[in-house]
Amino acid sequence: MEFLSSELQSGLILFGVFGVLVTLGVPISFAIGLAATATITFLISFDQALFVVSQKMASGLDSFTLLAIPFFILAGNIMNSGGIARRLIELAKIVGGRLPGALAHVNVLANMLFGSISGSAVASAAAIGGIMSPLQRKEGYDPAFSAAVNAASCPTGMLIPPSSTLIVYSLISGGTSVATLFVAGYLPGILMGLGVMVVAGIVATKRGYPLIPLPSFKEIIFKIADAFLPLLLIFIIMGGIIGGVFTATEASAVAVVYTLLLAVGIYREVKITDLPTIILESAITSSIVLLLIGCSIGMSWAMTFSDIPYAIGEALANVSENPFIIMLVINICLLVIGTFMDMTPALLIFTPIFLPVATELGMDPVHFGIMMTYNLCIGIITPPVGSALFISCSVGKVAIQDLIKPMLPFYAAVISILMLVTFIPEISLFLPRVILGYGG
């Protein structure tokens, strides 16, 4: 390997070891940590490499910002059990019930609302899809079409705040403002949902799917009032963060207290005896995510120490000097990566690689973070690893092979909007500039 540069050798070791371990079925967190250690061992002694990688993992997790993740996970799990999804669906029926293919639009709107509160695409796909699929089947909707609508719209909650994914990006990007990222996610997330609604409306019109009967004024007022308290959480969290009342981490703790009051004290759909199970499930999920983050921080440091991002940046620069072409190549790479790797590890591993390239081209870190998050959202609804896609198949009782064809027009819609988000920075930066006075 003497004819290869040290950066290329390090890159081959890093991604080679990682790829082999994942292929062998090693859990991805351990695969990342071992690949990082093997790469550093190529440059320094094994004892030193083991010590440094462990130290970087521990110091990377010593972050006040990261405390938001377990709190938001706990708040989401409480909401899943607290009847909040059903109330948001009733509200969505009022908004989308008179559009062609009404129940499909209700599914999209409910995913946007529930996802923005829970911050989890998988939770949204399970909670909303579990309720909407039987309703749509009863009204004569094609089950594959219903599952496709649910899958395509559930990632909107990863962009519409609060989003734990954007918190992870904030950490790995070197401290990009969480509040700015949250505000920047609104328009792209809403556009993603609207794109899905346009496709769903076209298909529903061709197939003649029915509208929802218009409820009485009294019923409308009741449903709005019933969904008011869950929706109020969004205003409390975002209002508090934007107004400087509390940080994103403190907002996550507020979210837990508020959802507990709703689920246990007001709606009484969660019992005190249910809480140990909910807390245990949240702790297990949080430990998996935080171990993954710690190992990925170790890998990020290993890549930086080995000058791998610099080498990749040089390679991209050799592809073209046109920023448009380079950003298109980055998007294609991320789309491919997203089909084989879950969202969080992909974000943690490839942000340190592509962010320096993007900033060198003059791209704002907030804009890049939204673009990257949006791109990887598509990965969770594409085979073979798309977790939200498989959840939608499960709750919709549809085989995965029957879902691919109905998903194609939705893929076209969300990728088209990805291109808009990539090449029109104001889609991401307009609200931060207006609301926060962001000058990036």
Side-chain angles (χ1 to χ4, degrees), residues 10-36:
S10 298
L12 289 173
I13 293 170
L14 181 72
F15 294 110
V17 171
F18 175 72
V20 169
L21 292 175
V22 169
T23 303
L24 292 174
V26 175
I28 193 165
S29 297
F30 298 122
I32 290 171
L34 291 170

Side-chain angles (χ1 to χ4, degrees), residues 179-181 183-185 366 426-439:
T180 306
L181 287 166
V183 175
V366 172
E426 285 304 304
I427 293 176
S428 302
L429 300 179
F430 174 73
L431 287 181
R433 285 173 177 157
V434 171
I435 297 174
L436 302 175
Y438 180 69

Side-chain angles (χ1 to χ4, degrees), residues 94 216-227:
I94 297 172
S216 67
F217 180 75
K218 185 178 179 180
E219 289 175 320
I220 291 174
I221 296 299
F222 174 78
K223 290 178 180 180
I224 292 174
D226 200 33

